[in-house]
Amino acid sequence: MGNEPTRLGWPTFGAEAPALPEVVDRSTFQARLDELRIREKAHTREGVAIAAARRRLPMVEVDGATELIGPDGPVTLLDAFEGRPQLVTYYFMWYPGRPAAQQCEGCTWNNAQISELSYLHSRGITYAVFCQGPFDESYRYREFMGWRMPWYSAQGSLDTLLAGKQVGMMHIVCYVREGDRVFETYWTSRRGVEVLDYSYALMDLTVWGRQEPQEDSLPGWPQQWGIGVGATEHVTRYDGRPIPHWSRLGAGRSDDLTVES
């Protein structure tokens, strides 16, 4: 969505421009980059080794008949696989009865970056959101955002599906099935769900990074996100709303989540 209001333009800094790195010649630049590349390659290799260890974890059986609510009513956890052997689920935090602007900015941030699912499907993987709130109002949020991933309410089955985890917290949970039997193979929470994100990954390649105060940056680097924007603001909110809301409102979409009587 490219029609964000001007209020989302990059902030100005008055008379003082933000700091920049030192300027060097090409050979010096390449030498420093080559040094960093050694660390980057080690990081990549460690990530590959961790993924290999993840694939070797044991698994725990989950009742495939556990109920979810979808667009056509009750379905089962097994149904959510859509016939594929694997399922990756995002357990979306939800605040029942609250307007769209007060829903989880972190879950919005992550799922706003999920669009093309064909690559997952080619590996026999279904991606779906399991909202931790009621179906009707949360599905309206999905429509407001313009998302097209499968969406279910898991509200009535959270004690089963999130056994050993914190209900009400964001989670990614992975499953595999063998016939009609379903097994949980991996789960993560909090910053672990950033695996869905590419915006932070791209920001981390830039000179000013995420521009957040917890980052280890040089003096004079802009770090305006997360501070000075109000006590209820967040690094993925702007002017009282999750950042992607503004383009949807600008396009004329309604963010009314009210359940019709």
Side-chain angles (χ1 to χ4, degrees):
M1 313 289 283
N3 59 340
E4 288 83 357
T6 54
R7 58 149 106 346
L8 282 178
W10 194 68
T12 58
F13 293 88
E16 294 187 9
L20 288 167
E22 63 177 319
V23 178
V24 296
D25 59 48
R26 171 64 64 175
S27 61
T28 302
F29 166 74
Q30 189 60 50
R32 295 280 293 275
L33 180 58
D34 289 344
E35 292 175 3
L36 181 64
R37 198 75 80 201
I38 294 171
R39 297 175 60 189
E40 288 179 334
K41 289 183 179 297
H43 178 73
T44 299
R45 286 192 292 270
E46 180 62 13
V48 169
I50 290 172
R54 188 182 297 117
R55 292 193 294 274
R56 288 164 172 77
L57 287 172
M59 59 188 186
V60 59
E61 189 161 7
V62 181
D63 185 359
T66 302
E67 185 177 274
L68 307 167
I69 304 298
D72 299 319
V75 296
T76 66
L77 175 61
L78 187 62
D79 292 329
F81 280 75
E82 298 182 341
R84 299 183 183 92
Q86 298 186 87
L87 174 65
V88 175
T89 59
Y90 187 100
Y91 283 79
F92 200 108
M93 297 170 62
W94 194 257
Y95 303 103
R98 295 192 189 180
Q102 295 180 22
Q103 295 303 330
C104 179
E105 60 279 333
C107 294
T108 301
W109 165 281
N110 288 314
N111 284 279
Q113 300 176 82
I114 298 296
S115 56
E116 185 57 65
L117 297 177
S118 62
Y119 296 108
L120 292 177
H121 295 171
S122 74
R123 294 338 190 246
I125 303 167
T126 294
Y127 178 86
V129 169
F130 284 11
C131 187
Q132 298 181 61
F135 179 79
D136 287 344
E137 63 181 25
S138 69
Y139 196 74
R140 273 189 281 278
Y141 189 75
R142 170 189 179 272
E143 294 299 290
F144 166 63
M145 292 300 299
W147 294 335
R148 290 295 174 259
M149 75 281 281
W151 188 283
Y152 305 93
S153 169
Q155 186 178 32
S157 301
L158 293 176
D159 288 343
T160 297
L161 294 171
L162 292 182
K165 310 168 189 64
Q166 182 180 348
V167 174
M169 177 58 64
M170 60 182 69
H171 297 283
I172 293 174
V173 183
C174 298
Y175 304 93
V176 67
R177 70 182 180 94
E178 184 179 43
D180 291 342
R181 298 179 69 188
V182 176
F183 303 90
E184 180 183 323
T185 62
Y186 179 75
W187 69 272
T188 191
S189 187
R190 297 185 183 274
R191 289 197 62 182
V193 303
E194 287 183 11
V195 68
L196 298 182
D197 163 74
Y198 65 82
S199 293
Y200 265 161
L202 291 175
M203 291 178 196
D204 286 343
L205 300 181
T206 69
V207 66
W208 289 323
R210 304 182 183 189
Q211 301 174 49
E212 297 172 7
Q214 70 273 12
E215 284 185 290
D216 180 7
S217 295
L218 293 174
W221 258 230
Q223 293 187 321
Q224 76 281 5
W225 283 96
I227 58 172
V229 289
T232 61
E233 292 292 321
H234 183 272
V235 294
T236 58
R237 280 184 174 268
Y238 191 85
D239 203 10
R241 286 180 170 274
I243 291 169
H245 282 198
W246 292 111
S247 62
R248 276 70 176 180
L249 293 171
R253 295 182 189 171
S254 171
D255 65 347
D256 183 5
L257 307 180
T258 304
V259 177
E260 298 178 1
S261 58

